Amino acid sequence: MALVCFPFKKEDVDVVMRNVKTAAQHPRVRMVLLVGASENETYVEIDARLPALGAQCDVPIVQMTQLRLGALREGKGDGMNTALLYFLRAHEYDELFGEPVVSEPLERIHFYDADIESFNSSWITKAEEAADMEYDVIRHYFPRSSTDAQITWQITKVGFSLLFPLSVLPWVQQPLGGELCLTRRCVDVLVSDERVMRQSDWGIDTLYTFVCAQAGMNMIEVYVPEGKLHALYGGLRDLFNMLIECFAALQGLQKCSIRAESVHRIASAEPVPNSVTSKIGYNIEKSLVLLSENWTPRQEELLHVLFPERVAAGLIACRDWPQYSFMDEATWVECYQVLLANFEFGDSDWHELIFKLWVSRVLNYTMRHVIRGYDTAMNELRHMVQDIQQKSAIELIKARREAQGCSPRVL
Ligand code: DGY
């Protein structure tokens, strides 16, 4: 039987309560857990409404605030890791969590963002049916607007393809997705990994994806055709912390290797609905101005010393007028490699610099590809990642052959 967890922060409580009810009434669900970032207004309102909801459901619905577990900014990672610990111990007395809430160990944990307006019981059913086929990790994937998911595409997919080209990682559809189901075996692996438990911030999704692959967990990605309808972003500045923390998480993994073989299946996608293809993911006008903000002499110096001169010239010119034509795919890969080698997490100049580089990349992609239509834009993203993965894979294979003393073959 499963536990369904909704981590939340500040949400529309009607949407949260509807999603909790849907989960609590699902025949495979044994309990629902709400993990709040703090005891804020959302938490208090949910608390007030839980008794009435509980009376309509046969399974326990528990709300708690997240524990301070990690070493980084207090964020989503602490919330998800709190849920993993709770899931493992919900059937027995525990010093942290108190009396048991269920009589038997729970078998699976599902995570869903609390604010998903399109959530319905089929999300749980799909994951449960896949878990019945003995996959350890079931990830939901869904169509997203061509201007959404720009950390996924430009940071995580690019990074996984550059660093781990022969692993399963470049093929994961939505490596930052927060909708997933994990078996108890998988949760045991995650909670016993110190890297996972210290990752209290937005980097948690990267860590879950990476550690599951490194441990050889079998994975399936199930498709949710209706997509994840939720509030979209204002300017790209809204994604500042997420960008920094997702990149830093990946940078921290760059010396790791993945040798494990694992099964990876992807359920086929379906035609993308107009509600998704016609959606604009971020406010372009508000984002243009970001390129001129928060400059310091040190950022200029870092650009001149470490980055290709055309990037330094292009980005510094943005102080006066937004420019992005210099940041095409190939240039982004060059910059990405400089960032992997030099970016300093916790250094505000580096944070601003990676942010402006990424904004120029997202604007370049938007103005060159998105304006040519949804399918063209998505193809460009897929090709960018495939090209990086192929080139890196070939270099890695050559290097391995050389290290083994094999005669180099033409690849
Ligand atoms: C991503 O890139 O996937 C983030 O959710 C922002 O859209």
Side-chain angles (χ1 to χ4, degrees), residues 191-257:
V191 301
S192 52
D193 193 310
E194 278 176 14
R195 297 168 300 179
V196 170
M197 296 312 287
R198 76 182 287 280
Q199 196 76 45
S200 40
D201 61 10
W202 283 116
I204 194 64
D205 302 304
T206 309
L207 264 290
Y208 279 15
T209 306
F210 180 85
V211 170
C212 288
Q214 199 177 37
M217 297 282 131
N218 290 337
M219 175 184 12
I220 186 164
E221 298 188 77
V222 296
Y223 189 69
V224 185
E226 60 270 32
K228 183 170 134 180
L229 300 182
H230 64 119
L232 288 179
Y233 310 100
L236 291 172
R237 180 70 69 186
D238 293 3
L239 297 172
F240 185 85
N241 279 347
M242 191 191 278
L243 167 79
I244 309 293
E245 293 170 5
C246 288
F247 180 80
L250 232 152
Q251 187 192 31
L253 295 168
Q254 65 178 318
K255 298 262 158 18
C256 302
S257 63

Coordinates of all heavy atoms in Angstrom, one line a residue, residues 191-257:
V191 N 17.8 7.4 1.5 CA 18.0 8.0 2.8 C 19.4 7.6 3.4 O 19.9 8.2 4.3 CB 16.9 7.7 3.8 CG1 15.6 8.2 3.4 CG2 16.9 6.2 4.2
S192 N 20.0 6.5 2.8 CA 21.3 6.2 3.4 C 22.4 6.8 2.6 O 23.6 6.6 2.8 CB 21.5 4.6 3.4 OG 21.2 4.1 2.1
D193 N 22.1 7.7 1.7 CA 23.1 8.4 0.9 C 23.2 9.9 1.5 O 22.3 10.7 1.4 CB 22.6 8.5 -0.6 CG 23.8 9.0 -1.5 OD1 24.4 10.0 -1.2 OD2 24.1 8.3 -2.5
E194 N 24.4 10.1 2.0 CA 24.6 11.4 2.7 C 24.4 12.6 1.7 O 24.0 13.7 2.1 CB 26.1 11.5 3.2 CG 26.3 10.9 4.5 CD 27.7 10.9 5.0 OE1 28.5 11.7 4.4 OE2 28.0 10.1 5.9
R195 N 24.7 12.4 0.5 CA 24.6 13.5 -0.5 C 23.1 13.9 -0.6 O 22.8 15.1 -0.8 CB 25.1 13.1 -1.9 CG 26.6 12.8 -1.9 CD 27.0 12.1 -3.2 NE 26.3 10.8 -3.4 CZ 26.5 10.1 -4.5 NH1 27.3 10.4 -5.4 NH2 25.8 8.9 -4.6
V196 N 22.2 12.9 -0.6 CA 20.8 13.2 -0.7 C 20.3 13.9 0.6 O 19.6 14.9 0.5 CB 20.0 11.9 -0.8 CG1 18.5 12.1 -0.7 CG2 20.4 11.2 -2.2
M197 N 20.7 13.4 1.7 CA 20.2 14.0 3.0 C 20.7 15.4 3.2 O 20.0 16.2 3.9 CB 20.5 13.1 4.2 CG 19.8 11.7 4.1 SD 18.1 11.7 3.6 CE 17.3 12.3 5.1
R198 N 21.9 15.8 2.7 CA 22.3 17.2 2.9 C 21.7 18.1 1.9 O 21.7 19.3 2.1 CB 23.9 17.2 2.9 CG 24.5 17.2 1.5 CD 26.0 17.2 1.6 NE 26.5 18.5 1.9 CZ 26.7 19.5 1.1 NH1 26.3 19.4 -0.2 NH2 27.2 20.7 1.5
Q199 N 21.1 17.6 0.9 CA 20.6 18.5 -0.2 C 19.2 19.1 0.1 O 18.2 18.6 -0.4 CB 20.5 17.7 -1.5 CG 20.4 18.6 -2.8 CD 21.7 19.2 -3.1 OE1 22.8 18.6 -3.1 NE2 21.6 20.5 -3.5
S200 N 19.2 20.0 1.0 CA 17.9 20.5 1.5 C 17.2 21.5 0.5 O 16.1 22.0 0.8 CB 18.1 21.2 2.9 OG 19.3 22.0 2.9
D201 N 17.9 21.9 -0.5 CA 17.4 23.0 -1.4 C 16.8 22.4 -2.7 O 16.4 21.3 -2.8 CB 18.5 24.0 -1.7 CG 19.7 23.4 -2.4 OD1 19.6 22.2 -2.9 OD2 20.7 24.1 -2.5
W202 N 16.7 23.3 -3.7 CA 16.1 22.9 -5.0 C 16.9 21.7 -5.7 O 16.5 21.1 -6.7 CB 16.1 24.0 -6.0 CG 14.9 25.0 -5.7 CD1 15.1 26.3 -5.4 CD2 13.5 24.8 -5.9 NE1 13.9 26.9 -5.3 CE2 12.9 26.0 -5.6 CE3 12.8 23.7 -6.2 CZ2 11.5 26.1 -5.6 CZ3 11.4 23.8 -6.3 CH2 10.8 25.0 -6.0
G203 N 18.1 21.5 -5.3 CA 19.0 20.5 -5.9 C 18.5 19.1 -5.6 O 19.0 18.1 -6.2
I204 N 17.5 18.9 -4.8 CA 17.0 17.6 -4.4 C 16.6 16.7 -5.6 O 16.9 15.5 -5.6 CB 15.9 17.7 -3.3 CG1 15.7 16.3 -2.6 CG2 14.6 18.2 -3.9 CD1 16.9 15.8 -1.9
D205 N 15.9 17.3 -6.5 CA 15.4 16.5 -7.6 C 16.6 15.9 -8.4 O 16.6 14.8 -8.9 CB 14.5 17.3 -8.6 CG 13.3 17.9 -7.8 OD1 12.6 17.2 -7.2 OD2 13.2 19.2 -7.8
T206 N 17.6 16.8 -8.6 CA 18.8 16.3 -9.3 C 19.4 15.1 -8.6 O 19.9 14.1 -9.2 CB 19.9 17.5 -9.4 OG1 19.2 18.6 -9.9 CG2 21.1 17.1 -10.2
L207 N 19.5 15.2 -7.2 CA 20.1 14.2 -6.4 C 19.3 12.9 -6.5 O 19.9 11.8 -6.6 CB 20.3 14.7 -5.0 CG 21.6 15.3 -4.6 CD1 22.7 14.2 -4.6 CD2 22.1 16.3 -5.6
Y208 N 18.0 13.0 -6.4 CA 17.2 11.8 -6.4 C 17.4 11.1 -7.8 O 17.6 9.9 -7.9 CB 15.7 12.1 -6.3 CG 15.1 12.3 -4.9 CD1 16.0 12.5 -3.8 CD2 13.8 12.3 -4.6 CE1 15.5 12.7 -2.5 CE2 13.3 12.5 -3.3 CZ 14.1 12.7 -2.3 OH 13.6 12.9 -1.0
T209 N 17.4 11.9 -8.9 CA 17.5 11.3 -10.2 C 18.9 10.7 -10.3 O 19.0 9.5 -10.8 CB 17.3 12.4 -11.3 OG1 16.1 13.0 -11.0 CG2 17.3 11.8 -12.7
F210 N 19.9 11.4 -9.9 CA 21.3 10.9 -10.1 C 21.5 9.6 -9.2 O 22.0 8.6 -9.7 CB 22.3 12.0 -9.7 CG 23.7 11.5 -9.8 CD1 24.3 11.6 -11.0 CD2 24.4 10.9 -8.7 CE1 25.6 11.1 -11.2 CE2 25.7 10.4 -8.9 CZ 26.3 10.5 -10.1
V211 N 21.1 9.7 -7.9 CA 21.4 8.6 -7.0 C 20.7 7.3 -7.4 O 21.2 6.2 -7.4 CB 21.2 9.0 -5.6 CG1 21.3 7.8 -4.6 CG2 22.2 10.0 -5.2
C212 N 19.4 7.5 -7.9 CA 18.7 6.3 -8.4 C 19.4 5.7 -9.6 O 19.5 4.4 -9.7 CB 17.3 6.7 -8.8 SG 16.2 7.1 -7.4
A213 N 19.9 6.5 -10.5 CA 20.6 5.9 -11.6 C 21.9 5.3 -11.2 O 22.3 4.2 -11.6 CB 20.9 7.1 -12.6
Q214 N 22.6 5.9 -10.3 CA 23.9 5.4 -9.8 C 23.7 4.0 -9.1 O 24.6 3.2 -9.2 CB 24.6 6.4 -8.9 CG 26.1 6.2 -8.8 CD 26.8 7.2 -7.9 OE1 26.2 7.6 -6.9 NE2 28.0 7.6 -8.3
A215 N 22.6 3.9 -8.4 CA 22.4 2.7 -7.7 C 21.7 1.6 -8.6 O 21.4 0.5 -8.1 CB 21.5 2.9 -6.5
G216 N 21.5 1.9 -9.9 CA 21.0 1.0 -10.8 C 19.5 0.6 -10.6 O 19.0 -0.5 -10.9
M217 N 18.7 1.6 -10.1 CA 17.3 1.4 -9.9 C 16.6 1.3 -11.2 O 16.8 2.1 -12.1 CB 16.7 2.5 -9.1 CG 17.2 2.7 -7.7 SD 16.5 1.5 -6.6 CE 17.9 0.8 -5.8
N218 N 15.7 0.4 -11.4 CA 14.9 0.3 -12.6 C 13.9 1.4 -12.7 O 13.2 1.6 -11.7 CB 14.2 -1.1 -12.7 CG 15.3 -2.2 -13.0 OD1 16.4 -1.9 -13.5 ND2 14.9 -3.4 -12.6
M219 N 13.8 2.0 -13.8 CA 12.9 3.2 -13.9 C 11.9 3.1 -15.1 O 12.3 2.7 -16.2 CB 13.8 4.4 -14.1 CG 13.0 5.7 -14.2 SD 14.0 7.2 -14.6 CE 15.6 6.7 -14.9
I220 N 10.8 3.6 -14.8 CA 9.8 3.8 -16.0 C 9.2 5.2 -15.9 O 9.0 5.7 -14.8 CB 8.7 2.7 -16.0 CG1 7.8 2.9 -17.2 CG2 7.8 2.8 -14.7 CD1 6.9 1.6 -17.5
E221 N 9.0 5.8 -17.0 CA 8.4 7.1 -17.0 C 7.0 7.0 -17.6 O 6.8 6.5 -18.8 CB 9.2 8.1 -17.8 CG 10.6 8.2 -17.2 CD 11.5 9.3 -17.8 OE1 11.2 10.5 -17.5 OE2 12.4 9.0 -18.6
V222 N 6.0 7.4 -16.9 CA 4.6 7.3 -17.3 C 4.1 8.6 -17.8 O 4.6 9.7 -17.3 CB 3.7 6.7 -16.2 CG1 4.1 5.3 -15.9 CG2 3.7 7.6 -15.0
Y223 N 3.3 8.6 -18.8 CA 2.9 9.9 -19.5 C 1.6 10.4 -18.9 O 0.6 9.6 -18.8 CB 2.8 9.6 -21.0 CG 2.6 10.9 -21.8 CD1 3.6 11.8 -21.9 CD2 1.4 11.1 -22.4 CE1 3.5 13.0 -22.6 CE2 1.3 12.3 -23.1 CZ 2.3 13.2 -23.2 OH 2.1 14.4 -24.0
V224 N 1.5 11.6 -18.7 CA 0.3 12.3 -18.2 C -0.1 13.3 -19.3 O 0.4 14.4 -19.3 CB 0.5 13.0 -16.9 CG1 -0.8 13.5 -16.3 CG2 1.1 12.1 -15.8
P225 N -1.1 12.9 -20.2 CA -1.3 13.7 -21.3 C -1.9 15.1 -21.0 O -1.7 16.1 -21.8 CB -2.3 12.9 -22.2 CG -2.9 11.9 -21.2 CD -1.9 11.7 -20.1
E226 N -2.6 15.2 -19.9 CA -3.3 16.5 -19.7 C -2.3 17.6 -19.2 O -2.6 18.7 -19.1 CB -4.4 16.4 -18.6 CG -4.1 15.8 -17.3 CD -4.2 14.3 -17.2 OE1 -3.9 13.6 -18.2 OE2 -4.5 13.8 -16.1
G227 N -1.1 17.1 -18.9 CA 0.0 18.1 -18.5 C -0.3 18.6 -17.1 O -1.3 18.3 -16.4
K228 N 0.7 19.4 -16.6 CA 0.6 19.8 -15.2 C 0.2 21.3 -15.2 O 1.0 22.2 -15.5 CB 2.0 19.6 -14.6 CG 2.1 20.0 -13.1 CD 3.5 19.5 -12.6 CE 4.1 20.6 -11.8 NZ 5.4 20.2 -11.3
L229 N -1.1 21.5 -15.0 CA -1.5 22.9 -15.0 C -1.3 23.5 -13.7 O -1.7 23.1 -12.7 CB -3.0 23.0 -15.4 CG -3.4 22.4 -16.8 CD1 -4.9 22.6 -17.0 CD2 -2.6 23.1 -17.9
H230 N -0.4 24.5 -13.7 CA -0.1 25.2 -12.4 C 0.3 26.7 -12.8 O 0.4 27.0 -14.0 CB 1.1 24.6 -11.7 CG 2.4 24.6 -12.4 ND1 3.5 25.2 -11.9 CD2 2.7 24.1 -13.6 CE1 4.5 25.1 -12.8 NE2 4.1 24.4 -13.8
A231 N 0.4 27.5 -11.8 CA 0.7 28.9 -12.1 C 2.1 29.0 -12.8 O 3.0 28.4 -12.3 CB 0.7 29.7 -10.8
L232 N 2.2 29.8 -13.8 CA 3.5 29.9 -14.5 C 4.2 31.1 -13.9 O 3.7 31.9 -13.1 CB 3.3 30.0 -16.0 CG 2.9 28.7 -16.7 CD1 2.8 28.9 -18.2 CD2 3.9 27.6 -16.4
Y233 N 5.5 31.3 -14.4 CA 6.3 32.3 -13.8 C 6.2 33.7 -14.4 O 5.7 33.9 -15.5 CB 7.8 31.9 -14.0 CG 8.0 30.4 -13.6 CD1 8.0 29.4 -14.6 CD2 8.0 30.1 -12.3 CE1 8.1 28.1 -14.2 CE2 8.1 28.8 -11.9 CZ 8.2 27.8 -12.9 OH 8.3 26.5 -12.5
G234 N 6.6 34.7 -13.6 CA 6.6 36.1 -14.1 C 7.9 36.2 -14.9 O 8.2 35.5 -15.8
G235 N 8.8 37.1 -14.5 CA 10.1 37.2 -15.1 C 11.0 36.0 -14.7 O 10.7 35.3 -13.8
L236 N 12.1 35.8 -15.5 CA 12.9 34.7 -15.2 C 13.6 34.8 -13.8 O 14.1 33.8 -13.2 CB 14.0 34.5 -16.3 CG 13.5 34.0 -17.6 CD1 14.6 34.1 -18.7 CD2 12.9 32.6 -17.5
R237 N 13.6 36.0 -13.2 CA 14.2 36.2 -11.9 C 13.5 35.3 -10.8 O 14.1 34.9 -9.9 CB 14.0 37.7 -11.5 CG 14.5 38.1 -10.2 CD 16.0 38.2 -10.0 NE 16.8 39.2 -10.7 CZ 18.1 39.2 -10.7 NH1 18.9 38.4 -10.0 NH2 18.8 40.2 -11.4
D238 N 12.2 34.9 -11.1 CA 11.5 34.0 -10.2 C 12.3 32.7 -10.0 O 12.0 32.0 -9.1 CB 10.1 33.7 -10.7 CG 9.2 34.8 -10.7 OD1 9.6 35.9 -10.3 OD2 8.0 34.7 -11.1
L239 N 13.1 32.4 -11.0 CA 13.7 31.1 -11.0 C 15.2 31.1 -10.6 O 15.9 30.2 -10.7 CB 13.7 30.5 -12.4 CG 12.3 30.2 -12.9 CD1 12.3 29.8 -14.4 CD2 11.6 29.1 -12.1
F240 N 15.6 32.3 -10.0 CA 17.0 32.5 -9.7 C 17.5 31.5 -8.7 O 18.5 30.8 -9.0 CB 17.1 33.9 -9.0 CG 18.5 34.4 -8.7 CD1 19.3 35.0 -9.7 CD2 19.0 34.2 -7.4 CE1 20.6 35.4 -9.4 CE2 20.3 34.6 -7.2 CZ 21.1 35.2 -8.1
N241 N 16.9 31.3 -7.6 CA 17.4 30.3 -6.6 C 17.4 28.9 -7.2 O 18.3 28.1 -7.0 CB 16.5 30.2 -5.4 CG 16.9 31.3 -4.4 OD1 17.9 32.0 -4.6 ND2 16.0 31.6 -3.4
M242 N 16.3 28.5 -7.9 CA 16.2 27.2 -8.5 C 17.4 27.0 -9.5 O 18.0 25.9 -9.5 CB 14.9 27.0 -9.2 CG 14.6 25.6 -9.6 SD 13.2 25.3 -10.6 CE 11.9 25.4 -9.5
L243 N 17.6 28.0 -10.3 CA 18.7 27.8 -11.3 C 20.1 27.6 -10.6 O 20.8 26.6 -10.9 CB 18.8 29.1 -12.1 CG 20.1 29.3 -12.9 CD1 20.0 28.5 -14.2 CD2 20.4 30.7 -13.2
I244 N 20.4 28.4 -9.6 CA 21.7 28.3 -8.9 C 21.8 27.0 -8.2 O 22.8 26.3 -8.3 CB 21.8 29.4 -7.8 CG1 21.5 30.8 -8.3 CG2 23.2 29.3 -7.1 CD1 22.5 31.4 -9.3
E245 N 20.7 26.6 -7.5 CA 20.8 25.4 -6.7 C 20.8 24.1 -7.6 O 21.5 23.1 -7.3 CB 19.7 25.4 -5.7 CG 19.9 26.5 -4.7 CD 18.7 26.7 -3.7 OE1 17.7 26.0 -3.8 OE2 18.8 27.7 -3.0
C246 N 20.1 24.1 -8.7 CA 20.1 23.0 -9.6 C 21.5 22.9 -10.3 O 22.0 21.8 -10.4 CB 19.0 23.1 -10.7 SG 17.4 22.8 -10.0
F247 N 22.1 24.0 -10.7 CA 23.4 23.9 -11.3 C 24.4 23.5 -10.3 O 25.3 22.6 -10.5 CB 23.8 25.3 -11.9 CG 25.2 25.1 -12.5 CD1 25.4 24.6 -13.8 CD2 26.3 25.5 -11.8 CE1 26.6 24.4 -14.3 CE2 27.6 25.4 -12.4 CZ 27.7 24.8 -13.6
A248 N 24.4 24.0 -9.1 CA 25.4 23.7 -8.0 C 25.3 22.2 -7.7 O 26.3 21.5 -7.5 CB 25.2 24.5 -6.8
A249 N 24.1 21.7 -7.7 CA 23.9 20.2 -7.3 C 24.6 19.4 -8.4 O 25.3 18.4 -8.1 CB 22.4 19.9 -7.3
L250 N 24.4 19.8 -9.7 CA 25.0 19.0 -10.8 C 26.6 19.2 -10.7 O 27.3 18.2 -10.9 CB 24.5 19.6 -12.1 CG 23.9 18.5 -13.0 CD1 22.9 19.1 -13.8 CD2 25.0 18.0 -13.8
Q251 N 27.0 20.4 -10.5 CA 28.4 20.6 -10.4 C 29.1 19.8 -9.4 O 30.2 19.2 -9.6 CB 28.7 22.1 -10.1 CG 30.2 22.5 -10.2 CD 30.4 23.9 -9.7 OE1 29.7 24.3 -8.7 NE2 31.4 24.6 -10.2
G252 N 28.4 19.6 -8.2 CA 28.9 18.8 -7.1 C 29.0 17.3 -7.5 O 29.7 16.6 -6.8
L253 N 28.3 16.9 -8.5 CA 28.3 15.5 -8.9 C 29.3 15.2 -10.0 O 29.5 14.0 -10.4 CB 26.9 15.0 -9.4 CG 25.8 15.1 -8.3 CD1 24.4 14.9 -9.0 CD2 26.0 14.0 -7.3
Q254 N 30.0 16.2 -10.6 CA 30.7 16.0 -11.8 C 31.8 15.0 -11.7 O 32.2 14.4 -12.7 CB 31.2 17.3 -12.4 CG 32.2 18.1 -11.6 CD 32.6 19.3 -12.3 OE1 32.8 19.4 -13.5 NE2 32.7 20.4 -11.6
K255 N 32.4 14.8 -10.5 CA 33.5 13.8 -10.4 C 33.0 12.4 -10.2 O 33.8 11.5 -10.1 CB 34.4 14.2 -9.2 CG 35.1 15.6 -9.4 CD 36.5 15.4 -9.9 CE 37.1 16.6 -10.6 NZ 36.6 17.9 -10.4
C256 N 31.7 12.2 -10.0 CA 31.1 10.9 -9.8 C 31.0 10.1 -11.1 O 30.9 10.7 -12.1 CB 29.7 11.0 -9.2 SG 29.7 11.9 -7.7
S257 N 31.0 8.8 -10.9 CA 30.8 8.0 -12.2 C 29.6 7.1 -12.0 O 29.2 6.8 -10.8 CB 32.0 7.2 -12.5 OG 32.2 6.3 -11.4

